Amino acid sequence: MNTIPYICGINFAPFVPAGSFSQERTKRSLLTMKENTNANFVILTPNGLQDTPQSEEICYTSEATMTDDELKRMIDYAQSIGLRVALKPTANCKNGTWRAHINFFDEDVPCEPKWRNWFASYMAFQNHYAKIAQETGCEMHIAGCEMVMSERRDAEWRQTIAEIRRDFKGLVSYNTDKYREHNVKWWDCVDVISSSGYYPVDNWEEQLDRIEAVVSHFQKPFFFAEAGCMSVFGSKHVPNDWTVRGNIDMEGQAEWYQAMFDSCEKRDWVSGYALWSWTDRLYSSNQAAQHGDYEIFAKPAEQVIRNYYTKFQ
């Protein structure tokens, strides 16, 4: 099996609008992320927007998406402080529907939106950022995230990956959703398998057994391109559910991270993580106990992550 350098990563400032990466506070936040966690890898996530799950056009040139120039400058800054960089252009829906539900009829029907048109727009979106990834020396291009209903479209995904490779010569991955690793049939055409690791605190061993069979079959490196838990009571049991609203539980968040690291450390095929997430707008450290979200800054989970990531320095 091919190997990749171990990924001690974090998803930084996902889906920020234009102007965000031009702020000095954003650079300060990224530097704090590296210093506080010993991360060596960062994922930046340009935002592509379509109106609804059945819209065919993806827009990535509005004020809702960082500009190309500020993205390039942020990549350059990340690299200058010693971070390896991956781009993960991600399609989202303006109406708030989760991208996993983007879906169309499998057979073209007159007057109905079509996979053909959507994938044409999606490929243009990916190719745009693949060129930036190549120009700026990014290590990896992740060809999307949690596009669950589209994953059955084998031929279109293979074409998308092939199109990306024309412009980008680094590692190509795709970030499938939790519990979906075994359902993607086209892992053979990427360099690295990745998924979202939002598994219950007491269920890691079972899920890793299942994922291991996939990794063994395709003989590809694997990492979690997302993984995280909120700092509220109950989240460690359903870390994928961002609607959980309980009292603050920072120790539960730290417990979840420790359980993930302990379980994955026993699997030599797990090549790392890009944790979810780190904001461009840091709160003060004494306000951490008021933030019951996925953020890890100044919470006990931050020290758990630092302790683990330091092993790979």
Side-chain angles (χ1 to χ4, degrees):
M1 183 187 302
N2 294 328
T3 59
I4 57 174
Y6 202 85
I7 294 173
C8 298
I10 296 178
N11 285 268
F12 178 73
F15 313 133
V16 291
S20 300
F21 275 8
S22 297
Q23 304 296 318
E24 282 302 314
R25 61 169 165 75
T26 305
K27 287 185 177 181
R28 290 196 300 270
S29 181
L30 184 65
L31 181 60
T32 301
M33 183 197 87
K34 182 180 188 297
E35 292 175 339
N36 287 23
T37 66
N38 267 333
N40 62 20
F41 188 98
V42 65
I43 293 180
L44 304 178
T45 311
N47 192 21
L49 286 174
Q50 57 189 79
D51 290 338
T52 75
Q54 282 70 54
S55 299
E56 296 175 325
E57 293 293 327
I58 299 166
C59 175
Y60 50 92
T61 57
S62 76
E63 291 296 311
T65 303
M66 63 190 77
T67 68
D68 291 350
D69 285 345
E70 61 182 323
L71 174 59
K72 291 175 185 177
R73 289 195 296 270
M74 186 55 67
I75 293 169
D76 181 68
Y77 177 71
Q79 293 167 335
S80 76
I81 61 173
L83 292 169
R84 296 141 57 198
V85 181
L87 292 191
K88 186 171 69 172
T90 300
N92 288 302
C93 300
K94 290 183 183 179
N95 69 356
T97 304
W98 178 32
R99 71 189 78 92
H101 297 291
I102 294 171
N103 196 19
F104 305 93
F105 296 148
D106 278 334
E107 295 183 6
D108 287 355
V109 175
C111 302
E112 296 289 350
K114 299 170 180 62
W115 278 120
R116 180 179 68 250
N117 297 337
W118 183 84
F119 265 106
S121 183
Y122 190 80
M123 287 182 203
F125 171 50
Q126 292 296 321
N127 290 350
H128 177 82
Y129 289 104
K131 292 173 182 174
I132 292 176
Q134 179 66 24
E135 175 188 339
T136 56
C138 289
E139 178 171 309
M140 185 183 296
H141 181 102
I142 303 173
C145 176
E146 301 170 353
M147 308 296 294
V148 173
M149 299 305 293
S150 74
E151 290 171 359
R152 69 184 187 273
R153 304 293 294 190
D154 185 285
E156 288 97 330
W157 274 107
R158 290 180 182 278
Q159 184 182 357
T160 299
I161 301 300
E163 291 283 339
I164 289 169
R165 289 193 186 281
R166 290 196 180 100
D167 295 313
F168 179 68
K169 306 309 176 185
L171 296 171
V172 178
S173 185
Y174 168 74
N175 177 186
T176 193
D177 193 29
K178 62 206 172 290
Y179 303 101
R180 293 284 306 177
E181 295 91 349
H182 63 286
N183 284 322
V184 176
K185 307 305 181 188
W186 38 271
W187 287 130
D188 59 287
C189 73
V190 302
D191 301 306
V192 182
I193 297 171
S194 61
S195 73
S196 293
Y198 298 98
Y199 292 118
V201 65
D202 57 356
N203 192 228
W204 276 100
E205 298 295 341
E206 178 182 347
Q207 298 307 324
L208 289 169
D209 285 344
R210 179 181 54 78
I211 299 169
E212 185 168 359
V214 178
V215 174
S216 178
H217 175 75
F218 286 99
Q219 290 291 294
K220 300 281 186 176
F222 173 88
F223 82 109
F224 287 107
E226 288 188 20
C229 174
M230 295 193 299
S231 53
V232 295
F233 279 99
S235 184
K236 67 182 182 180
H237 299 296
V238 283
N240 60 298
D241 187 353
W242 58 86
T243 66
V244 172
R245 294 292 180 266
N247 294 326
I248 299 297
D249 182 18
M250 295 196 294
E251 293 302 329
Q253 183 187 42
E255 178 190 347
W256 183 89
Y257 271 102
Q258 192 64 61
M260 177 180 70
F261 290 145
D262 288 347
S263 294
C264 292
E265 192 170 24
K266 295 179 286 186
R267 316 282 180 137
D268 60 6
W269 50 269
V270 177
S271 296
Y273 319 79
L275 308 174
W276 192 271
S277 60
W278 194 280
T279 181
D280 61 315
R281 295 173 177 269
L282 283 184
Y283 44 83
S284 64
S285 57
N286 61 8
Q287 293 177 317
Q290 302 170 26
H291 288 260
D293 49 22
Y294 289 97
E295 297 297 333
I296 55 181
F297 171 65
K299 299 177 183 179
E302 183 185 72
Q303 188 61 49
V304 172
I305 293 161
R306 179 180 177 83
N307 291 343
Y308 187 76
Y309 279 3
T310 299
K311 296 179 183 182
F312 301 93
Q313 302 304 307

